[in-house]
Amino acid sequence: MSLFVRKDDTVMVVTGRERGKTGKVIKVLPKKSRVFIERVNLVKRHTKPRSAQQPGGIVEKEASIHVSNVMLMCDPCNAPVRVGYKFLEDGEKVRICRRCGQGLG
């Protein structure tokens, strides 16, 4: 399954507890339609000590967000936008901004 977001894209959360926050996509899970966003949707996890180098404690890390709750940010528009697709002359499929028509990475 293909999604409109990819790793290293900048996205904005449009619904939920984290609404309005922007960040870079760290990881994409296409089969589950979920994304991990840097410093967004943080949860606390309790970890056991594994060795002397890896002590236990409470670790804050990102939890996944459903892809329907995020929108891709367009650099020229500087706003969250819907994504369209276009085929170039050489047959390559590219993502475009529905607002300004520019290519999105």
Side-chain angles (χ1 to χ4, degrees):
M1 180 178 191
S2 168
L3 299 178
F4 65 91
V5 290
R6 298 180 192 147
K7 187 176 175 181
D8 295 328
D9 281 344
T10 304
V11 294
M12 177 183 274
V13 180
V14 292
T15 58
R17 188 182 69 198
E18 305 287 331
R19 179 176 50 237
K21 292 186 181 180
T22 61
K24 193 168 85 168
V25 176
I26 302 169
K27 187 177 177 183
V28 179
L29 303 175
K31 288 184 179 177
K32 293 185 176 182
S33 298
R34 297 187 80 80
V35 291
F36 290 84
I37 305 168
E38 194 172 59
R39 304 297 302 157
V40 175
N41 199 24
L42 293 174
V43 293
K44 292 184 183 201
R45 293 288 175 250
H46 298 259
T47 59
K48 276 180 146 178
R50 298 289 176 203
S51 63
Q53 293 86 3
Q54 191 178 11
I58 301 171
V59 177
E60 255 192 349
K61 62 187 212 177
E62 293 90 358
S64 65
I65 295 179
H66 197 270
V67 74
S68 66
N69 296 333
V70 300
M71 286 181 83
L72 200 61
M73 292 291 287
C74 177
D75 290 331
C77 299
N78 196 24
V81 294
R82 290 180 298 127
V83 178
Y85 296 94
K86 185 167 82 173
F87 287 95
L88 300 178
E89 290 79 28
D90 60 352
E92 185 183 2
K93 186 178 180 181
V94 293
R95 299 178 299 171
I96 60 166
C97 168
R98 284 289 188 191
R99 184 179 288 200
C100 67
Q102 295 274 333
L104 297 168

